[in-house]
Short mmCIF file of all heavy atoms in Angstrom, two decimals:
data_model
loop_
_atom_site.label_atom_id
_atom_site.label_comp_id
_atom_site.label_asym_id
_atom_site.label_seq_id
_atom_site.Cartn_x
_atom_site.Cartn_y
_atom_site.Cartn_z
N ASP A 36 15.37 9.39 -20.45
CA ASP A 36 15.39 9.79 -21.86
C ASP A 36 15.58 8.60 -22.78
O ASP A 36 16.40 8.63 -23.71
CB ASP A 36 16.49 10.84 -22.09
CG ASP A 36 16.26 11.62 -23.37
OD1 ASP A 36 15.10 11.65 -23.84
OD2 ASP A 36 17.22 12.18 -23.91
N ARG A 37 14.83 7.52 -22.50
CA ARG A 37 14.85 6.33 -23.35
C ARG A 37 13.44 6.07 -23.87
O ARG A 37 12.50 6.76 -23.51
CB ARG A 37 15.34 5.10 -22.56
CG ARG A 37 16.75 5.21 -22.05
CD ARG A 37 17.22 3.91 -21.39
NE ARG A 37 16.58 3.67 -20.11
CZ ARG A 37 15.62 2.77 -19.89
NH1 ARG A 37 15.16 2.03 -20.90
NH2 ARG A 37 15.10 2.61 -18.69
N MET A 38 13.31 5.04 -24.69
CA MET A 38 12.01 4.68 -25.27
C MET A 38 11.24 3.67 -24.42
O MET A 38 10.01 3.68 -24.38
CB MET A 38 12.19 4.11 -26.68
CG MET A 38 12.74 5.10 -27.68
SD MET A 38 11.56 6.42 -28.03
CE MET A 38 10.30 5.52 -28.92
N GLY A 39 11.94 2.77 -23.76
CA GLY A 39 11.27 1.70 -23.03
C GLY A 39 10.73 0.65 -23.98
O GLY A 39 11.11 0.61 -25.17
N PRO A 40 9.83 -0.22 -23.54
CA PRO A 40 9.26 -1.25 -24.42
C PRO A 40 8.52 -0.61 -25.60
O PRO A 40 7.72 0.31 -25.42
CB PRO A 40 8.27 -1.99 -23.51
CG PRO A 40 8.70 -1.67 -22.11
CD PRO A 40 9.30 -0.30 -22.16
N THR A 41 8.79 -1.09 -26.81
CA THR A 41 8.15 -0.53 -28.01
C THR A 41 7.65 -1.60 -28.98
O THR A 41 6.79 -1.34 -29.81
CB THR A 41 9.12 0.39 -28.77
OG1 THR A 41 10.30 -0.36 -29.11
CG2 THR A 41 9.51 1.60 -27.94
N GLU A 42 8.19 -2.82 -28.90
CA GLU A 42 7.95 -3.81 -29.93
C GLU A 42 6.72 -4.68 -29.69
O GLU A 42 5.99 -5.00 -30.62
CB GLU A 42 9.19 -4.72 -30.08
CG GLU A 42 10.46 -3.97 -30.47
CD GLU A 42 10.34 -3.30 -31.82
OE1 GLU A 42 9.68 -3.87 -32.71
OE2 GLU A 42 10.86 -2.20 -31.99
N ALA A 43 6.49 -5.10 -28.46
CA ALA A 43 5.41 -6.04 -28.15
C ALA A 43 4.09 -5.32 -27.97
O ALA A 43 3.80 -4.76 -26.90
CB ALA A 43 5.75 -6.85 -26.90
N GLY A 44 3.28 -5.29 -29.01
CA GLY A 44 1.99 -4.61 -28.93
C GLY A 44 2.14 -3.11 -29.11
O GLY A 44 3.24 -2.58 -29.21
N PRO A 45 1.01 -2.39 -29.13
CA PRO A 45 1.05 -0.92 -29.28
C PRO A 45 1.84 -0.27 -28.14
O PRO A 45 1.52 -0.46 -26.97
CB PRO A 45 -0.43 -0.52 -29.23
CG PRO A 45 -1.18 -1.76 -29.57
CD PRO A 45 -0.36 -2.90 -29.06
N TYR A 46 2.89 0.45 -28.47
CA TYR A 46 3.74 1.12 -27.49
C TYR A 46 4.33 0.14 -26.47
O TYR A 46 4.63 0.51 -25.33
CB TYR A 46 2.98 2.23 -26.76
CG TYR A 46 2.41 3.27 -27.68
CD1 TYR A 46 1.06 3.22 -28.04
CD2 TYR A 46 3.21 4.29 -28.19
CE1 TYR A 46 0.52 4.17 -28.91
CE2 TYR A 46 2.67 5.24 -29.06
CZ TYR A 46 1.34 5.18 -29.42
OH TYR A 46 0.81 6.12 -30.26
N GLY A 47 4.48 -1.10 -26.87
CA GLY A 47 5.07 -2.10 -25.97
C GLY A 47 4.16 -2.54 -24.85
O GLY A 47 4.61 -3.09 -23.84
N SER A 48 2.84 -2.32 -25.01
CA SER A 48 1.89 -2.57 -23.92
C SER A 48 1.74 -4.05 -23.57
O SER A 48 1.23 -4.38 -22.49
CB SER A 48 0.52 -1.99 -24.27
OG SER A 48 0.06 -2.52 -25.51
N LEU A 49 2.15 -4.95 -24.46
CA LEU A 49 2.02 -6.39 -24.18
C LEU A 49 3.30 -6.99 -23.59
O LEU A 49 3.37 -8.20 -23.39
CB LEU A 49 1.64 -7.14 -25.46
CG LEU A 49 0.29 -6.80 -26.07
CD1 LEU A 49 0.06 -7.61 -27.35
CD2 LEU A 49 -0.83 -7.06 -25.07
N GLN A 50 4.30 -6.14 -23.34
CA GLN A 50 5.59 -6.65 -22.85
C GLN A 50 5.45 -7.39 -21.53
O GLN A 50 6.01 -8.47 -21.33
CB GLN A 50 6.57 -5.51 -22.70
CG GLN A 50 7.99 -5.94 -22.34
CD GLN A 50 8.64 -6.76 -23.42
OE1 GLN A 50 8.74 -6.31 -24.56
NE2 GLN A 50 9.05 -7.98 -23.11
N SER A 51 4.68 -6.85 -20.59
CA SER A 51 4.52 -7.49 -19.28
C SER A 51 3.80 -8.82 -19.40
O SER A 51 4.14 -9.79 -18.70
CB SER A 51 3.74 -6.56 -18.33
OG SER A 51 4.45 -5.37 -18.10
N VAL A 52 2.80 -8.90 -20.29
CA VAL A 52 2.08 -10.16 -20.50
C VAL A 52 3.03 -11.23 -21.05
O VAL A 52 3.03 -12.39 -20.60
CB VAL A 52 0.90 -9.96 -21.46
CG1 VAL A 52 0.18 -11.28 -21.72
CG2 VAL A 52 -0.07 -8.93 -20.89
N LEU A 53 3.87 -10.85 -22.00
CA LEU A 53 4.82 -11.80 -22.57
C LEU A 53 5.88 -12.21 -21.55
O LEU A 53 6.35 -13.35 -21.57
CB LEU A 53 5.50 -11.18 -23.80
CG LEU A 53 4.54 -10.86 -24.97
CD1 LEU A 53 5.30 -10.19 -26.11
CD2 LEU A 53 3.85 -12.13 -25.45
N ASP A 54 6.25 -11.30 -20.66
CA ASP A 54 7.20 -11.65 -19.59
C ASP A 54 6.62 -12.73 -18.68
O ASP A 54 7.33 -13.65 -18.25
CB ASP A 54 7.56 -10.42 -18.77
CG ASP A 54 8.49 -9.48 -19.52
OD1 ASP A 54 9.13 -9.93 -20.49
OD2 ASP A 54 8.56 -8.30 -19.13
N VAL A 55 5.32 -12.60 -18.37
CA VAL A 55 4.66 -13.61 -17.55
C VAL A 55 4.68 -14.96 -18.25
O VAL A 55 5.01 -16.00 -17.64
CB VAL A 55 3.21 -13.19 -17.23
CG1 VAL A 55 2.46 -14.33 -16.53
CG2 VAL A 55 3.20 -11.94 -16.35
N LEU A 56 4.34 -14.97 -19.53
CA LEU A 56 4.35 -16.23 -20.30
C LEU A 56 5.75 -16.83 -20.36
O LEU A 56 5.92 -18.05 -20.28
CB LEU A 56 3.82 -15.97 -21.71
CG LEU A 56 2.36 -15.54 -21.81
CD1 LEU A 56 1.99 -15.24 -23.25
CD2 LEU A 56 1.45 -16.62 -21.24
N LYS A 57 6.75 -15.98 -20.48
CA LYS A 57 8.13 -16.47 -20.52
C LYS A 57 8.51 -17.13 -19.19
O LYS A 57 9.10 -18.23 -19.17
CB LYS A 57 9.09 -15.31 -20.81
CG LYS A 57 10.57 -15.72 -20.84
CD LYS A 57 11.48 -14.52 -20.87
CE LYS A 57 11.49 -13.82 -19.52
NZ LYS A 57 12.49 -12.73 -19.45
N LEU A 58 8.18 -16.48 -18.09
CA LEU A 58 8.52 -17.04 -16.78
C LEU A 58 7.82 -18.37 -16.54
O LEU A 58 8.39 -19.29 -15.93
CB LEU A 58 8.15 -16.04 -15.68
CG LEU A 58 9.06 -14.82 -15.54
CD1 LEU A 58 8.46 -13.82 -14.56
CD2 LEU A 58 10.46 -15.23 -15.09
#
Side-chain angles (χ1 to χ4, degrees):
D36 199 21
R37 297 186 288 106
M38 295 293 291
T41 57
E42 300 298 324
Y46 302 100
S48 56
L49 296 179
Q50 186 64 57
S51 297
V52 178
L53 297 177
D54 286 341
V55 172
L56 295 176
K57 179 191 72 173
L58 286 171

